[in-house]
Amino acid sequence: MPSRYWRSTVAIHCNGFYSPEQEATILGELAELRDVFPSWVREVWVSLRSLDNGDILICDTNVPYRSYNISVSPDYFSYSADQRKSHLTHEVVHAILGPIVEWVSDRFIEPMKESDERLYAVIEQEWRDRFEGVTQEWTYILERMMAKGEEG
């Protein structure tokens, strides 16, 4: 399983890609975002798999183990480079926000499920909409900052 290292502290591991070109593409795109990952991330695991609901990327944070998992749909590679970078930036922002989002969900939202399923459904959807909105806002901010950096 190939690995690439950033700043000698963050390792990227890829597996399950159909071609070396796909693997090189995703590794290159992640390398462009290396300075955006939060300091708690020590390993990034990237795998290719079919995803539900038309998603092209999904992520999972695992703070205790300092790892971040990104699942990539084969459809990801049909998008333009700019679209892929935007989607990937969005997922990296999830790594930044993931620990607090998961803590709030685990501590306050999920316990509601047993006591009031209807209230839980409303609150859970509201929480999801809000953190996705914040994630996308930070994605836009980072894209503007990276574009300025490219301009010199």
Side-chain angles (χ1 to χ4, degrees):
M1 178 178 343
S3 295
R4 303 292 187 270
Y5 290 88
W6 298 331
R7 300 175 302 222
S8 71
T9 58
V10 178
I12 304 176
H13 308 282
C14 287
N15 60 43
F17 284 85
Y18 295 134
S19 70
E21 294 80 18
Q22 287 179 334
E23 186 174 308
T25 296
I26 197 79
L27 283 171
E29 291 167 347
L30 283 167
E32 289 180 28
L33 296 170
R34 69 183 169 272
D35 294 328
V36 179
F37 274 93
S39 60
W40 67 263
V41 174
R42 293 294 181 245
E43 291 187 297
V44 177
W45 295 87
V46 186
S47 59
L48 187 70
R49 67 184 180 121
S50 295
L51 303 174
D52 297 331
N53 303 326
D55 291 331
I56 60 168
L57 295 167
I58 59 170
C59 63
D60 180 44
T61 57
N62 196 335
V63 178
Y65 294 96
R66 304 297 189 246
S67 68
Y68 182 69
N69 305 306
I70 302 174
S71 296
V72 181
S73 165
D75 294 338
Y76 174 80
F77 298 99
S78 67
Y79 287 81
S80 73
D82 287 343
Q83 290 171 318
R84 288 194 313 267
K85 187 172 183 177
S86 182
H87 285 291
L88 200 54
T89 302
H90 180 94
E91 296 307 314
V92 172
V93 173
H94 276 300
I96 297 166
L97 300 176
I100 190 68
V101 168
E102 289 179 11
W103 183 81
V104 168
S105 183
D106 292 347
R107 188 78 159 189
F108 300 105
I109 297 172
E110 287 301 319
M112 266 186 236
K113 194 173 193 175
E114 292 179 21
S115 62
D116 190 337
E117 204 167 303
R118 290 170 70 191
L119 178 61
Y120 164 79
V122 171
I123 298 296
E124 197 273 337
Q125 186 60 52
E126 186 73 21
W127 176 239
R128 181 180 311 282
D129 291 347
R130 296 204 184 249
F131 79 71
E132 283 295 339
V134 169
T135 300
Q136 191 58 39
E137 190 59 38
W138 276 105
T139 300
Y140 294 146
I141 291 166
L142 289 170
E143 287 175 338
R144 287 193 304 268
M145 291 172 70
M146 289 184 289
K148 285 183 181 180
E150 290 171 2
E151 294 171 3

